[in-house]
RNA sequence: CGGGGCGUGGCCUAGUCCGGUUACGGCGCCUGGUUUGGGACCAGGAGAUCGCAGGUUCGAAUCCUGCCGCCCCGACCA
């Protein structure tokens, strides 16, 4: 724990990896591409999960759980869906092990071959729509608004802590509707939920938009997304919400009796966010001293550290801090009093900075004598000595101030690195500078692909609030009706 | 799949080129003591199939062959 972080400037990627490990968020497991999420990291994810779950319920959704395994044949039912996921599926082919006849541990029992292979879900549309077929008969069964919290597996070639791991945790909402309009409205509603969560809780500004055809979810009619800008100038897709049209209903033959007695295929959406949000959170706020957490998601909002000489002084100061901790807790603040006598205060200061605790209160003999307390804030790395009286109110104010400061700081960074480009040269320069680039595009997949090949930049989204603006494509010069957002991305 | 790197107590690491007593050191851990306003110090202690399997040799962490695993950079990524 005593080692120093690599600085962002020296090696951003190494900084990120060091930070994840040193802040005790996660570690690599021995399984390729898979990580162990450690208790502190998981506590942050649990906060996200709890808040999102509440938001889903407030918008009328309920939770359910579907199988981890999906029969292979289900995948072939929706053509573009299987095409999108086929290359990264883990497949279960056998169900039994046996002792190796040669005495080398266990081997797969060749006689225990499954008649039909099972796919470890990379996403659950197919198994869920196969189930919805039985649940939906009439318009009275609609809308069906279900979410599940689950793990999924995508066999990625290259992985990165939280941003892309072979197995990850997420939620996936799957809804069924009577009309196309309703389904679109649902997809848009959930996009708003995600955007709210990102901004209000993660203090992370996001761009709301719709994906181009190239970037669209396999099997969707439209993919809405929120895109965030990281400190190194690369974009991160933070959440997606898909309008699936009738694609899955047709693939799984899910029809309902309409109000006028007809039969129609159901309209669908799906939407999800994952542990990738952890990566987004880390890369949005953290600095060279470690993690920086927005108070609303911090497992510990305030840590109290006693400074003392000898057991007598310790008893006195810890008692005083216990009182403050109890008051803070009663006021709804998540608080930890670290009275571990085996660690010195200086060690604790460094440790909680590394772990991103928003506010640290320290009290020593000088404070006891003068009725003061030291308040240190993580976001600005500043500290002040203030009266211990009214500390609860002061801390609550400060937490709000930090939450707001993190959002405005991130928003400022995102805005200042968003550039417009009207020529190919400007476009290249803007990309190299990092950040979002707003530019005209002729609307064809071919041009987007060409730009991607040349620059590694993709269209992150076509912003929902993009004003109509006539222009010409930066590549082909063909007419364009509005600007889209390009960036290099994770 | 291409390129690079690594594999030695829980973690980091020296030693490998050029084979030779008991495998260096640090962090952490245990015991005792002194300390405590920014990652303390002293003393003692425990902890190792040197990734795996063969081979060469009187002798292998070190040389040879094969294999396995992980990380990083690319390719890939709804």
């Amino acid at each position: 724990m005593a080692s120093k972080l690599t600085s962002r400037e020296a090696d951003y990627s190494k900084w990120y990896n060091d930070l994840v490990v040193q802040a005790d968020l996660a570690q690599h497991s021995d399984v390729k591409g898979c990580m162990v999420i450690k208790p502190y990291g998981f506590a942050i994810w649990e906060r996200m999960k709890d808040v999102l779950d509440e938001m889903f319920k407030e918008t009328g959704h309920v939770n359910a759980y579907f199988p981890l395994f999906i029969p292979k044949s289900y995948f072939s039912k929706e053509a573009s869906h299987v095409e999108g996921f086929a290359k990264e599926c883990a497949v279960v082919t056998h169900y039994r092990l046996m002792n190796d006849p040669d005495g080398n541990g266990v081997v797969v029992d060749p006689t225990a071959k499954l008649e039909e292979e099972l796919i470890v879900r990379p996403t659950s549309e197919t198994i869920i729509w196969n189930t919805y077929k039985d649940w939906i008969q009439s318009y009275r069964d609609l809308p069906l608004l279900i979410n599940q919290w689950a793990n999924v597996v995508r066999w990625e070639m290259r992985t990165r802590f939280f941003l892309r791991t072979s197995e990850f945790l997420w939620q996936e909402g799957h809804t069924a509707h009577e009309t196309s309009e309703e389904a679109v409205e649902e997809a848009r509603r959930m996009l708003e939920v995600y955007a709210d969560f990102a901004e209000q809780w993660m203090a992370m500004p996001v761009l709301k938009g719709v994906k181009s055809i190239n970037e669209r979810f396999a099997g969707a009619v439209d993919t809405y997304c929120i895109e965030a800008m990281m400190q190194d100038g690369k974009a991160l897709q933070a959440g997606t919400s898909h309008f699936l049209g009738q694609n899955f209903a047709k693939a799984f033959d899910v029809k309902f009796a309409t109000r006028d007695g007809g039969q129609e295929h159901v309209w669908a959406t799906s939407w999800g966010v994952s542990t990738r949000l952890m990566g987004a959170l880390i890369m949005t706020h953290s600095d060279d001293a470690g993690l920086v957490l927005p108070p609303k998601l911090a497992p510990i909002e305030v840590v109290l550290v006693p400074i003392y000489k000898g057991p007598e002084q310790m008893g006195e100061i810890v008692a005083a801090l216990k009182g403050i901790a109890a008051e803070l807790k009663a006021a709804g603040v998540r608080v930890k009093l670290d009275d571990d006598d085996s660690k010195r205060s200086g060690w604790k200061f460094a440790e909680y900075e590394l772990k991103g605790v928003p506010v640290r209160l320290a009290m020593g003999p000088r404070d006891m004598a003068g009725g003061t307390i030291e308040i240190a804030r993580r976001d600005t790395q500043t500290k002040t000595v203030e009266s211990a009286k009214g500390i609860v109110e002061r801390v609550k104010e400060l937490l709000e101030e930090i939450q707001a400061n993190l959002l405005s700081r991130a928003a400022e960074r995102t805005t200042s690195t968003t550039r417009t480009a009207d020529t190919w040269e400007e476009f290249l320069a803007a990309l190299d500078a990092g950040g979002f680039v707003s530019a005209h595009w002729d609307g064809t997949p071919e041009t987007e692909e060409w730009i991607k090949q040349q620059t590694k930049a993709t269209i992150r989204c076509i912003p929902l609030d993009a004003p109509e603006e006539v222009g010409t494509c930066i590549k082909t010069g063909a007419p364009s009706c509005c600007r889209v957002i390009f960036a290099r991305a994770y």
Side-chain angles (χ1 to χ4, degrees), chain A residues 185-304:
Chain A
E185 192 187 318
E186 164 76 3
R188 298 282 289 256
R189 179 184 303 118
M190 299 322 288
L191 186 76
E192 291 300 326
V193 166
Y194 289 155
D196 271 1
F197 175 75
E199 292 183 2
Q200 298 311 307
W201 295 81
M202 296 175 70
M204 180 176 78
V206 290
L207 216 56
K208 290 175 282 192
V210 62
K211 287 289 188 189
S212 64
I213 295 168
N214 289 10
E215 299 284 318
R216 186 183 286 162
F217 175 75
V221 174
D222 264 321
T223 288
Y224 299 97
C225 63
I226 52 170
E227 293 282 328
M229 181 47 62
M230 303 295 104
Q231 291 183 55
D232 62 345
K234 286 171 82 173
L236 183 74
Q237 176 178 296
T240 48
S241 181
H242 316 291
F243 168 55
L244 302 173
Q246 293 173 309
N247 292 349
F248 285 90
K250 284 178 179 164
F252 289 89
D253 194 30
V254 186
K255 289 182 189 162
F256 68 101
T258 60
R259 289 164 199 267
D260 55 14
Q263 286 278 314
E264 197 186 340
H265 284 110
V266 175
W267 298 85
T269 80
S270 69
W271 28 274
V273 294
S274 70
T275 35
R276 177 177 247 208
L277 289 179
M278 292 284 293
L281 188 69
I282 296 163
M283 289 200 293
T284 298
H285 303 301
S286 302
D287 60 26
D288 291 348
L291 190 61
V292 175
L293 290 173
K296 284 183 174 182
L297 292 178
I300 303 166
E301 291 172 283
V302 180
V303 65
L304 289 80

Side-chain angles (χ1 to χ4, degrees), chain A residues 130-419:
Chain A
N130 187 67
T131 310
Y132 281 3
K133 181 175 57 185
D134 298 334
W135 292 2
I136 300 167
Q137 275 89 43
S138 150
Y139 71 90
R140 296 176 201 273
D141 297 322
L142 300 172
L144 185 57
L145 305 173
I146 290 182
N147 176 64
Q148 92 165 339
W149 290 94
N151 58 337
V152 288
V153 168
R154 296 180 188 181
W155 215 262
E156 302 287 356
M157 291 180 186
R158 196 152 129 54
T159 56
R160 258 158 101 49
F161 279 132
F162 294 113
L163 299 175
R164 179 169 291 112
T165 47
S166 296
E167 179 190 9
F168 57 93
L169 305 182
W170 78 345
Q171 59 70 215
E172 46 182 328
H174 296 272
T175 68
H177 305 265
E178 202 177 335
T179 64
S180 170
E181 293 70 29
E182 251 185 60
V184 169
E185 192 187 318
E186 164 76 3
R188 298 282 289 256
R189 179 184 303 118
M190 299 322 288
L191 186 76
E192 291 300 326
V193 166
Y194 289 155
D196 271 1
F197 175 75
E199 292 183 2
Q200 298 311 307
W201 295 81
M202 296 175 70
M204 180 176 78
V206 290
L207 216 56
K208 290 175 282 192
V210 62
K211 287 289 188 189
S212 64
I213 295 168
N214 289 10
E215 299 284 318
R216 186 183 286 162
F217 175 75
V221 174
D222 264 321
T223 288
Y224 299 97
C225 63
I226 52 170
E227 293 282 328
M229 181 47 62
M230 303 295 104
Q231 291 183 55
D232 62 345
K234 286 171 82 173
L236 183 74
Q237 176 178 296
T240 48
S241 181
H242 316 291
F243 168 55
L244 302 173
Q246 293 173 309
N247 292 349
F248 285 90
K250 284 178 179 164
F252 289 89
D253 194 30
V254 186
K255 289 182 189 162
F256 68 101
T258 60
R259 289 164 199 267
D260 55 14
Q263 286 278 314
E264 197 186 340
H265 284 110
V266 175
W267 298 85
T269 80
S270 69
W271 28 274
V273 294
S274 70
T275 35
R276 177 177 247 208
L277 289 179
M278 292 284 293
L281 188 69
I282 296 163
M283 289 200 293
T284 298
H285 303 301
S286 302
D287 60 26
D288 291 348
L291 190 61
V292 175
L293 290 173
K296 284 183 174 182
L297 292 178
I300 303 166
E301 291 172 283
V302 180
V303 65
L304 289 80
V305 178
I307 300 163
Y308 54 86
K309 293 179 189 171
E312 200 173 308
Q313 219 174 53
M314 177 185 171
E316 207 177 308
I317 294 168
V318 167
L321 287 179
K322 270 186 181 158
I324 294 172
E327 281 180 61
L328 284 167
K329 196 178 169 193
V333 177
R334 289 182 298 281
V335 57
K336 172 178 173 172
L337 166 57
D338 190 346
D339 59 355
D340 180 354
D341 192 32
S342 69
K343 299 278 192 292
R344 292 157 54 102
S345 48
W347 189 91
K348 292 175 187 174
F349 295 166
E351 178 70 6
Y352 291 110
E353 273 162 25
L354 186 57
K355 289 191 162 183
V357 175
V359 173
R360 181 183 73 234
L361 300 178
M363 190 179 259
R366 289 206 300 263
D367 298 300
M368 287 298 278
T372 58
I373 194 161
E374 183 185 271
I375 305 176
R377 55 187 282 185
R378 178 64 184 87
D379 61 333
T380 55
Q381 300 234 62
T382 53
K383 54 187 182 184
T384 54
V385 175
E386 301 184 22
S387 168
K389 274 205 191 104
I391 188 65
V392 172
E393 280 315 303
R394 180 73 187 94
V395 163
K396 290 191 77 168
E397 273 172 30
L398 190 55
L399 289 170
E400 281 178 31
E401 198 180 319
I402 291 170
Q403 181 81 29
N405 180 47
L406 289 177
L407 177 61
S408 66
R409 209 160 74 174
E412 159 60 22
R413 197 189 63 240
T414 302
T415 307
S416 69
T417 56
T418 298
R419 300 173 176 86

Side-chain angles (χ1 to χ4, degrees), chain A residues 29-35 68-69 75 84-92 118-123 151-160 163-168:
Chain A
S29 75
D30 286 346
V31 184
K32 183 179 168 62
C34 295
M35 62 177 177
L68 169 67
F69 302 116
F75 265 87
F85 284 103
K87 284 177 285 183
E88 51 187 30
C89 284
V91 184
V92 179
L118 296 170
I119 312 301
V120 181
R121 63 178 167 220
T123 180
N151 58 337
V152 288
V153 168
R154 296 180 188 181
W155 215 262
E156 302 287 356
M157 291 180 186
R158 196 152 129 54
T159 56
R160 258 158 101 49
L163 299 175
R164 179 169 291 112
T165 47
S166 296
E167 179 190 9
F168 57 93

